[in-house]
Amino acid sequence: MTKEEILANAELFLLDLDGTVYRDETLIGDMKNTLKKLKEEGKKVVGLTNNSSKSACEYHEKLERLGISAMIDGVMTSGIAALDYVKSLGAGTRVHLLATDGVKREFQEAGVLLVDENPDVCVLALDTEITFEKIRLFNKLLVGGAKFIATHPDNKCPTEDVSMPDVGSFIKLFEHSSERKVDLICGKPFPLMSEQIIREYGVPAEKICMVGDRISTDILFGKNCGMMTLLVLSGDTTEEILSCSDVVPDLVLPTLNELF
C-alpha cells in the first residue's frame, strides 16, 4: 500500500505517541506541520497509547506543552480502556486499582468505586509510584479471587537511559506470586480499544490507519482489528527487527513526517 492510498482511504489516524509523535518532551521532526496537514486533509487524529501511567488529562497537558493539542481530536490510553471496561460491569463494581494518583483520580471522577478490601476486580496499570506495600496488597487481593485485569502487555517502557519494567513484567510477577493468570488485557494489540474508538468516533475499522513504532503492539493491533497499518522507524522498531517479523505493516516510513 502506498502513502497516497492510505491518505485517500483513511478517515481516522490512530497515532501511538511516544516514539511516533514525540520522544520524551521533543517532537519528532516537523511533526507540528505534519499534524496540521492531516487536519487540512479532513482527517480525524487520535492519540492511542498503551502507557497507563498518566491520565488523559495529563496527556492533554503534555500535548499542550508541545504545541500540538489543537491538532489532536482525542487521546485514548489503555487505562481509559480499562476504566470503560470496569464501568461496563455495572454500578457498584468494587475495583482495586494499582496505579498512579493521577490515574486513580481519573477512575474516581468517572464514578468507579475504588477499594482496598473485597474487590470484584483488580486492575494493574503502570504505577511509577509503586511500593512493596502496594504489591503485597494487590497480590493478596488476587489470591482472594478478584478478577485480574491489566491495562497493557508491554514488558518494558523505554526511557532516556535504560528501559524500565512495564505492566507486562508486573503481570508475570503477579502470575508467579498469586498463581493467577491475567483474565483480560485492555491495551494493544488486543481489540478492546478498537471497539471503543469505533463507537466514539463513528469510523469503521477499514477506514482507520494505525500508526506506531512497535510491531508487536501497534501494528499487530491494527492487523487484529482490520485497520490499515503504518510502521514508523522513529522509535522501538529497527530495520533488523522488521526484517525478522512475521507481522507485515501495509507501509513503512522513517517517520510520520514522510507521509507528506
Side-chain angles (χ1 to χ4, degrees):
M1 184 174 284
T2 66
K3 58 186 180 182
E4 290 79 14
E5 288 171 326
I6 285 180
L7 280 169
N9 291 299
E11 296 177 7
L12 189 156
F13 282 77
L14 291 179
L15 306 183
D16 177 62
L17 295 174
D18 201 357
T20 300
V21 174
Y22 53 70
R23 297 190 196 94
D24 294 326
E25 293 289 328
T26 304
L27 292 175
I28 295 172
D30 193 16
M31 188 59 61
K32 191 178 294 187
N33 196 41
T34 296
L35 296 175
K36 181 182 177 184
K37 287 179 180 177
L38 279 173
K39 297 307 295 177
E40 288 172 349
E41 293 271 342
K43 309 301 183 184
K44 295 178 181 178
V45 179
V46 176
L48 189 73
T49 178
N50 266 0
N51 191 327
S52 57
S53 66
K54 296 182 180 68
S55 66
C57 181
E58 289 170 314
Y59 273 108
H60 282 296
E61 289 171 356
K62 178 168 185 174
L63 297 176
E64 184 71 37
R65 287 198 308 274
L66 295 174
I68 58 173
S69 62
M71 291 164 274
I72 304 288
D73 295 294
V75 174
M76 167 72 79
T77 73
S78 62
I80 295 173
L83 167 57
D84 289 347
Y85 174 77
V86 297
K87 284 181 68 178
S88 75
L89 299 178
T93 299
R94 295 170 62 85
V95 178
H96 179 72
L97 176 61
L98 182 56
T100 60
D101 288 343
V103 172
K104 284 183 177 179
R105 281 194 299 274
E106 187 170 52
F107 272 63
Q108 290 171 324
E109 289 168 2
V112 175
L113 176 61
L114 297 185
V115 300
D116 290 335
E117 294 181 348
N118 303 317
D120 302 303
V121 177
C122 284
V123 178
L124 174 63
L126 178 55
D127 187 358
T128 54
E129 303 156 357
I130 199 164
T131 64
F132 187 80
E133 179 55 29
K134 286 184 177 183
I135 293 173
R136 186 199 67 79
L137 179 57
F138 196 86
N139 185 75
K140 176 183 176 182
L141 298 175
L142 287 181
V143 172
K147 188 170 184 176
F148 184 9
I149 295 174
T151 56
H152 61 287
D154 303 49
N155 289 323
K156 59 183 181 179
C157 182
T159 59
E160 208 166 299
D161 50 358
V162 63
S163 294
M164 302 304 290
D166 207 334
V167 167
S169 296
F170 284 99
I171 290 173
K172 292 179 176 65
L173 183 156
F174 286 117
E175 286 182 341
H176 283 292
S177 62
S178 70
E179 298 185 343
R180 290 281 311 282
K181 292 291 184 182
V182 65
D183 294 300
L184 175 70
I185 300 177
C186 299
K188 300 174 286 187
F190 302 98
L192 186 65
M193 287 204 290
S194 166
E195 299 162 11
Q196 294 166 344
I197 290 287
I198 290 169
R199 187 167 61 246
E200 183 169 349
Y201 292 95
V203 178
E206 62 269 19
K207 293 290 185 180
I208 298 174
C209 181
M210 178 68 225
V211 184
D213 66 303
R214 287 191 179 189
I215 294 178
S216 60
T217 53
D218 303 319
I219 303 307
L220 184 56
F221 172 78
K223 293 291 184 183
N224 287 342
C225 300
M227 301 173 180
M228 290 171 271
T229 55
L230 167 53
L231 175 71
V232 290
L233 301 177
S234 51
D236 188 68
T237 300
T238 63
E239 291 276 9
E240 182 179 2
I241 292 172
L242 175 61
S243 67
C244 298
S245 174
D246 294 330
V247 180
V248 180
D250 294 315
L251 180 65
V252 181
L253 293 174
T255 74
L256 180 59
N257 301 310
E258 278 72 32
L259 189 61
F260 293 99

